[in-house]
Amino acid sequence: NKNSCVEAGIRGICVGRCKSKEAEIKRINKELANIRSKFKGDKALDGYSKKKYVCKLLFIFLLGHDIDFGHMEAVNLLSSNRYTEKQIGYLFISVLVNSNSELIRLINNAIKNDLASRNPTFMGLALHCIANVGSREMAEAFAGEVPKILVAGDTMDSVKQSAALCLLRLYRTSPDLVPMGDWTSRVVHLLNDQHLGVVTAATSLITTLAQKNPEEFKTSVSLAVSRLSRIVTSASTDLQDYTYYFVPAPWLSVKLLRLLQCYPPPEDPAVRGRLTECLETILNKAQEPPKSKKVQHSNAKNAVLFEAISLIIHHDSEPNLLVRACNQLGQFLQHRETNLRYLALESMCTLASSEFSHEAVKTHIDTVINALKTERDVSVRQRAVDLLYAMCDRSNAQQIVAEMLSYLETADYSIREEIVLKVAILAEKYAVDYAWYVDTILNLIRIAGDYVSEEVWYRVIQIVINRDDVQGYAAKTVFEALQAPACHENLVKVGGYILGEFGNLIAGDPRSSPLVQFNLLHSKFHLCSVPTRALLLSTYIKFVNLFPEVKPTIQDVLRGDSQLRNADVELQQRAVEYLRLSTVASTDILATVLEEMPPFPERESSILAKLKKKKGPSTVTDLEDTKRERSVDVNGGPEPAPASASSTPSPSADLLGLGAAPAAPTGPPPSSGGGLLVDVFSDSASAAAPLAPGSEDNFRAFPKHPRISAGGSEFVCKNNGVLFENQLLQIGLKSEFRQNLGRMFIFYGNKTSTQFLNFTPTPVPRCGLDSLTRTHLNLQTKPVDPTVDGGAQVQQVVNIECVSDFTEAPVLNIQFRYGGTFQNVSVQLPITLNKFFQPTEMSSQDFFQRWKQLSNPQQEVQNIFKAKHPMDTEITKAKIIGFGSALLEEVDPNPANFVGAGIIHTKTSQTGCLLRLEPNLQAQMYRLTLRTSKETVSQRLCELLSQQF
Amino acid sequence: MQFMLLFSRQGKLRLQKWYVPLSDKEKKKITRELVQTVLARKPKMCSFLEWRDLKIVYKRYASLYFCCAIEDQDNELITLEIIHRYVELLDKYFGSVCELDIIFNFEKAYFILDEFLLGGEVQETSKKNVLKAIEQADLLQEKTENMFHSKSFIGSKKAY
């Protein structure tokens, strides 16, 4: 029975038989011509010959050659009564089908006949074919029939298995064509089936369906738990052929554990208890001596263990299990099997983000660092880098950054850029001391200069410009670093820029006098590329302003032929203009034009954006994208908003902002050149997204203006509730905030019985008119499933980062198709500045001392307004607490008044806030006073809180 | 699972099974890249790697590499054992399988795979059950071949 249908003649095509590629192609073409002539011949081929030639074609295709005929003959084979001919026909279709609609109709017809044949072997072939092709046309034809076969009482077990996975494939291709129905509850009960093969196939199907329709399949939880429990407690021989190397039903166990990850921990205490027991048993088994030395035994056992750990992490509710999981992974970190070390590092990354186990993960830092140094496989080292990044916090940042830096010296080229980005991000995020930050970045340039992208060195400059406490140190440090005889060009750029701005801070020392600084930079000039030389020319003109004593020297340089007559037009132009500027402009004008750069607008670190982009959704064309993070950055609308400095269009872009308008001496030059335009466009595009005209009737009117409507104000003091509802859609919210970060769960409920298609909710941050260039809020989310079934609910998680204080709430734009028409809903997301409030308790004395310190007229904002609600003391207190500030009792001498204090956390700053609310019962009025160190914060908080009473 | 590829140490593709719709061009591109990536790895390296947004699980048996692409949430170790179980099935069916068995009896390799994995998920993990299904089909084939055709060819791998 080992006969092959490939004749000996054609076997010679295979490796080793044909001397050269050309000979092989020649041979194949000859064979193809032969087959073609047979198919086209006058004589009708019998089934056997047809099968033989179709099989040959398949063989040739699998050798890597293109096949453009034979499809029709293969389809003919499908209707043969001979099993072997039918089988080859199906195989050809499965491997080589194209979406030729004429053929699909014929294929579907043959499948239909086989499904109706009641012959389990033929039914099996037909179901395999549907599952293999899985096209939409097939879903249209069979999505109704397959569920019936699956749950019919008289269907054979093997057919049931095929039907389950066939349905799974159809659901993945075209979920909209597989309607839930009566069959769903019967499918759930397949978890109880006696045949473990049926249970295995059914569990895959249920898992996929439950991900999209959790309600419909809720009952599968308890069934899965009891099935799992029976498996993990069974003796190793109980399950006969389903025991794999002494591990009972490992595939099924993994699948059941996966299914349970579609749900939160079971509510029923009995089920929950049983599941905890199962998980404990699995963890216990990991400590038992192995029943076999075979790697298959340990792999199967550990596959179940890792899946159990995933479930524990998913539930994130049992500290005891989480810590046990962490300890178990800790053991694996030192296991002799590379595979286990790899998986342990990977799994620990997720554990690091659970508050219960973050600390436990941190205890393994030395092992992970050691892995970074000693692992021989780059993909394992990569996991170690990821884990170090995940476990990094303020307490260990210095150590982790130092280790990553030292690893970078020898790191594989393929992961250097990513490590550079990670180091840069960690250094910035956890910098308590900005001198350390500057040192770290300069080290990055020294060690891996080629991998330090523009984003990284732009960022260090932005930070130095924005923080006056580090400028002197930065100038001194770059000056020292530039002493090295061979330094990376990126260092020359950073050095040139920083000395141009802050060289004066170190000029008092004769060892770094203006002339010394200039000579040092100029010694590098000739070795640098054009963009760097252009930057240095700007540094020189800045020197002319900072240090009048070097002006003649610099003018000489500018006047030199190599500048004034440089072949590069950018260099030449700069030389000419700077020379002229230095000659004609008075000291005052020079000082204005060449003023120190204004602070850069604060926004998301461009490096973070770069890492996200690097690790973002991969495109088929981009080999670089090897990462699994799939977060979508909605920050910048359709075009990712480039960071201010990095958005400048040309490589010779002028960081000093002079290139754009050197002759305009009024005010500081625009700091972000071309970026400004991009921002204006992307902001207006996303923020002003209007309601679709046709849909307005269906919906409650929404504020079209970017102002918080009264309706939205109910969320100012609470985090959960229904945000929006109309006849079609209900949107619920749950959110939590901590410091400058937040997470919002948005629940979209389809109130109709019809599917929503192309369902795309997009949260978009908005900017006020005052600050078009800034991004105050970063919102990150993943796309939700585009199909929402009737009555179903989908959930979307939005991660929020507050970068700086803001006024405008983000907007949630939702588009979907309902019954053939496009629906558009825009609603404001209640993310307001006070969400980032942390209460601060303080004594009466402290409060008034600070209150007095904030007596600047801009720091105080006051509002006197009429009460809109009954003036109830308890409700008022609850509102102030809900608003996020601490309620300070016995602080105000007048007990009727309310006093609060707290800190607004943004990524860039922390603003202390004091508030005082004085009710006047008689007049039914309030006076609200806000004092903070920042005018905009005082104003915004006052606005928000005033609406509440 | 998104796809499974079998290829030789020389980089020749011996079997391909795609569980997600992709164009021929994409399939070729993916195959080329993956074969290159996997062949470049050293023997003692770990069996998993990240590739695009997928996880690749691979293992070498004699001259053949078995390579599966799974999704982020899928279990690497159990996939490794999927590969092993498939090898066991081939081994049992062909009796100590070698690359040439798969080349010349490619249809059998596909049929066995379809009984074991369907739509990228495990359909039947019992070795007995899978082989029973294949043997039944072989019986059917034998019957029809003997009834209608006398011609049959014996493919002995020793000849190559």
Side-chain angles (χ1 to χ4, degrees), chain A residues 4 241-242 244-245 628, chain B residues 14 50 81 88 124 126 153:
Chain A
S4 164
D241 213 28
Y242 289 91
Y244 179 83
Y245 291 88
R628 65 216 135 87
Chain B
R14 294 306 181 202
E50 287 189 337
E81 294 318 298
E88 285 184 349
E124 177 55 86
S126 155
F153 7 78

Side-chain angles (χ1 to χ4, degrees), chain A residues 653-693:
Chain A
D654 195 341
L655 273 169
L656 297 173
L658 277 166
T666 47
S671 56
S672 64
L676 192 66
L677 275 179
V678 177
D679 280 354
V680 170
F681 287 132
S682 68
D683 283 334
S684 59
S686 52
L691 294 166

Side-chain angles (χ1 to χ4, degrees), chain A residues 346 383 386 615 626-630, chain B residues 50 53 72:
Chain A
E346 187 186 40
R383 289 284 80 80
D386 287 350
K615 306 197 102 191
T626 55
K627 296 296 165 280
R628 65 216 135 87
E629 265 176 48
R630 284 187 232 185
Chain B
E50 287 189 337
D53 55 349
D72 191 35

Side-chain angles (χ1 to χ4, degrees), chain B residues 81-142:
Chain B
E81 294 318 298
I82 285 180
I83 292 176
H84 187 74
R85 172 65 18 131
Y86 183 47
V87 173
E88 285 184 349
L89 288 165
L90 293 172
D91 211 46
K92 185 106 186 185
Y93 181 79
F94 289 109
S96 181
V97 67
C98 74
E99 191 181 339
L100 287 167
D101 290 319
I102 294 171
I103 297 172
F104 295 130
N105 301 289
F106 68 91
E107 74 284 13
K108 295 292 178 207
Y110 277 95
F111 297 148
I112 294 172
L113 187 58
D114 270 355
E115 290 294 334
F116 175 45
L117 291 181
L118 193 61
E121 301 285 339
V122 173
Q123 172 170 225
E124 177 55 86
T125 66
S126 155
K127 208 155 55 172
K128 254 190 242 160
N129 290 353
V130 171
L131 291 173
K132 207 166 69 192
I134 295 293
E135 274 152 19
Q136 270 171 0
D138 280 344
L139 275 178
L140 277 172
Q141 174 166 348
E142 206 116 283

Side-chain angles (χ1 to χ4, degrees), chain A residues 134 200 228 270 272 406 409 430 469 490 545 549 622 715 718 750 795 830 841 859 863 895 912 934:
Chain A
T200 308
L228 181 68
R272 190 169 178 155
S406 81
E409 308 236 18
Y430 299 114
D469 51 338
N490 279 337
N545 176 44
E549 65 266 39
D622 197 350
F715 279 93
K718 64 173 190 174
N750 180 346
Q795 178 193 321
E841 293 293 341
Q859 294 170 330
N863 189 14
K934 220 170 160 188

